[in-house]
Amino acid sequence: MFSKLVQFSFRRSFHVTSKLNQAMGIDGNNILAESLKRQGVEYVFGIVGIPVIETSMAFQAAGIKYIGMRNEQAACYAAQAIGYLTGKPGVCLAVSGPGLLHCIGGMANAQVNCWPLLVIAGSCPEDHEGIGGFQEWYQVEASRQYCKYAARPPSPRLIPLHVEKAVRLATAGRPGAAYLDMPATLLLGEADEDKVPLEYYTTDRVNPAFPDPALVAEAADILAKAEKPLVIVGKGAAYARAEDAVRKLVDTTKLPFLPTPMGKGVVPDTSPYCVSSARTQALSQADAVLLLGARLNWMLHFGQPPRFRPDVKIIQVDITPEEFHNSVKSSVAVHSDIKPFAEALTQKLAEKKFSLQPTSNSWWTALAEKQKANAEFVESQANNATVPLNYYAVFKTVQKIIPKDAIIVSEGANTMDIGRGMLLNNLPRHRLDAGTFGTMGVGPGFAIAAAMWCRDHAPNKRVICVEGDSAFGFSGMEIETMFRYQLPVVIIIVNNNGIYGGFDPQTMKDIQEGGDVALCTPPSALSTEVRYEKMMELFGQSGFFCRTTSEIEDALKKALAITDRPSIINILIDPQSNRKPQKFNWLTESKL
Ligand code: ADP
Ligand code: MG
């Protein structure tokens, strides 16, 4: 390995001097690195092994940051989070066969979330294909259904063309995943440097779609005539960087708005026009809904009764016309980037002198009443600091202490759902969670990407990663990655001994003494009172173990003072703590 490193650095310096001498060879690894650099790729997350060790070093030599992770899935989650945060795809680099296959969950997650991602995997040498090559797999075929683009460049000279296309497809229109397959023979193959068309391709952003003014006028008419209008702000609006335009729309019209989980922060959660705490009422009574970059999928109950009125008028705005009328027929469907649409609509509504009066408008008074009742319920729960704690008391304490501009990463079941309401986001793209695909295990990867982004773009900003104990288990070993790259992520584990909920130690013991452990252990139970915070001892550090709100406060303050490594705060809560009873099942039941 050492000799390989030496060989590599020699190769690299040879390559640099070769630029002076003209017409020297450049290999696939370096062509790939240079192509990615020219396409604006800044970060690669991955795990190296044969045949991509030299590839990772070529990336670093080209000035692309490389973050070595502990599982390809987590690397793939990190790469897509960078894509969402920056608008440019992060790269996930993996080895052949199992390495690439571990990325598939990540690719699907990016694709379903509409986030840009480029996965690059090594594959076995082409002359070993079909005869049982090491880690041989049908990688392009395996990836294709999870991607907008999957290809194997046919020669070193054509690598830049495919890199450009992969980046373009990952980002243009609805963002998603792309895959490039790099056989060992291609990575080591050489081309004459002056014949590699690196400069031909540009990194220019494809211009966004602008709205048809006639449709903007129709949308304005519907909203102005509605008795109970509602704006839904989705993560498409966050990805579109439409925060200024959407804030202006809401502030000038005083329309009530609901953010989707990752639409939170496009308009601040603390805005007086945010009606999150009257969500069910707002959705089920609105007679006109302006849908800004969100799909009417399970998260929005398909836009159908009983969660929506059967006669609701939907104004659907999306960059992807294929999405229109998907679950219910929209009254107006506008193919547009969110930003120019929101700007045009604000202007149109201003021309009509449209603005609601929250104090006198009956829709606003009904919503305000519901918000008050819900806030009172939450407050009463949150003020109950009896040990073992309930979720609400935990989140109230966390919200009190964490910096208000922190990026919040969250996953779990109750942990994520209850935390979403109580941990506020006042800035766009500051919440990363299990998303449209409901994927568990995304947290640590997302947090690593967010912390890398903070270090480079907002050094004082913190990343708070709020995990259920089950969710943390999927990618918990990434704590070592955080430690290695000195990322000060504060990991909070809300520990209820199980999936959804578990048992106290005595009950769990009694249950397991009932017979064959594999037959009697409840499938949703995890070991009780696991000391996850002791993982910090792997690095000669100590974590924080809490049972009370004052211990949480103390731990958070100490964790926030640490700026060069991660910390773990393990909070034991009541294993049977639950969320507020819901009017509807969390998923609208299928009647098929
Ligand atoms: P949420 O999870 O917030 O409900 P979804 O992921 O369901 O959001 O939907 C996001 C939508 O935003 C997708 O349909 C996607 O096509 C759309 N979108 C992404 N980028 C833009 C953009 N720049 N302008 C408009 N729509 C966008
Ligand atoms: Mg749990």
Side-chain angles (χ1 to χ4, degrees), residues 101-112:
L101 288 167
H102 288 170
C103 295
I104 295 274
M107 279 195 234
N109 193 65
Q111 192 75 347
V112 173

Side-chain angles (χ1 to χ4, degrees), residues 113-114 174-175 234-236 239-240 260 293-295 297 299 318-320 323 336-338 436:
N113 264 332
C114 316
R174 172 179 280 172
K235 69 174 173 297
Y239 184 77
T260 64
R295 287 166 286 180
N297 54 20
M299 281 189 145
D318 206 290
I319 201 82
T320 311
E323 189 60 36
S336 174
D337 187 73
I338 302 299
T436 311

